[in-house]
Structures are given as C-alpha cells and as structure tokens.
Amino acid sequence: MDADLLDAVRDALAYAYAPYSGFPVAAALRAANGKIYTGVNVENASYPEGVCAETSAISAMVTDGERSIVEIAVAGSGDDILTPCGGCRQRLREFARAEVAVHACGPEGWRQSFVLGDLLPNAFTPAHLK
Ligand code: THU
C-alpha cells in the first residue's frame, strides 16, 4: 500500500475516542476523487451508541459528496490483525467493489492485505434492489 494511505490511517489513530474498550481504531478510505477520508471509533457512555472507525470515515466521505471507495486501510492498536467488523464490511461494500483492497495496519505500519470480496463473499449490494 502507498505511504499516503498508511500515514493517514496511522495519524488518525491518535484521535480515536475509545475510553470504554481501550481499543482505538482508525480507518482511511481512498476515494475515486483522489481524496483520503479518515475516521476513528467514537464510543459513548451508552455503549451501543458507539460507532466504528470505518463508519466514521464513510460518513466523512459521503458528506463530502463522494460515494466511491477504491482502497481501504484500517489500523488497530493491538497485536492482532484487525479487519473490519461484519457490519462495517457491509457498510464498506455499499461504496466499494468486491475487488477493493483492505489493508490491515498497526501503529508500526502495514501488516496484511485482504480483498473486500473475500471478507464479505456473495454480498448483498445495492444491485439487488434494482
Ligand atoms: N471497532 C472499529 O472501530 N472497527 C472495527 O472494524 C472493529 C471494532 C471498534 C468498535 C469499538 O469502539 C472497539 O473497536 C472495540 O470493539
């Protein structure tokens, strides 16, 4: 993965708001317009109201008028490989083709790359509603 996406996701990690889980997460989305949109998990004292980093990044992208993701990076603070949760795989697939790369990163850098279609095979997509 290119350094700009890696830098973006690592920089964002510092802004995660995860006082309850203690598990900061950041996401960076490269969009078709060439911009990178970042987001972090934002937890809440009412636990179910928290949102994932990927969801925050998607909101930033859509609010900017963009709806096409061409590359995805996520970063967690733990030692394990972090891939998007099930709900976020579905949210990402709304705006990203199955072929889009998902890079799992950590504070130290890139760890492993996946393909969104492998993380969410045979997905339900907007095409089903046409
Ligand atoms: N989290 C994300 O932000 N993205 C994921 O894909 C996995 C989980 C967050 C949600 C919660 O704030 C914390 O990680 C622990 O589950």
Side-chain angles (χ1 to χ4, degrees):
M1 67 184 295
D2 286 344
D4 58 348
L5 197 66
L6 179 59
D7 287 348
V9 77
R10 292 167 76 187
D11 289 350
L13 197 52
Y15 298 99
Y17 179 72
Y20 306 108
S21 71
F23 191 76
V25 181
L29 310 176
R30 190 188 305 282
N33 64 7
K35 294 185 183 178
I36 292 174
Y37 298 93
T38 57
V40 296
N41 54 339
V42 182
E43 297 182 348
N44 192 280
S46 179
Y47 295 167
E49 305 305 332
V51 294
C52 285
E54 297 89 332
T55 304
S56 298
I58 290 169
S59 296
M61 182 191 76
V62 172
T63 303
D64 195 43
E66 176 58 66
R67 295 180 178 175
S68 178
I69 301 167
V70 298
E71 194 174 7
I72 298 164
V74 294
S77 49
D79 291 335
D80 295 327
I81 298 294
L82 172 72
T83 56
C85 74
C88 286
R89 294 177 193 197
Q90 180 67 33
R91 293 187 187 97
L92 290 164
R93 187 67 177 82
E94 182 80 11
F95 301 104
R97 296 167 59 89
E99 297 77 16
V100 165
V102 179
H103 306 291
C105 308
E108 81 292 352
W110 174 88
R111 291 181 179 175
Q112 190 171 336
S113 293
F114 301 84
V115 175
L116 185 57
D118 290 343
L119 298 177
L120 189 66
N122 305 112
F124 181 72
T125 73
H128 287 92
L129 301 178
K130 289 195 176 123

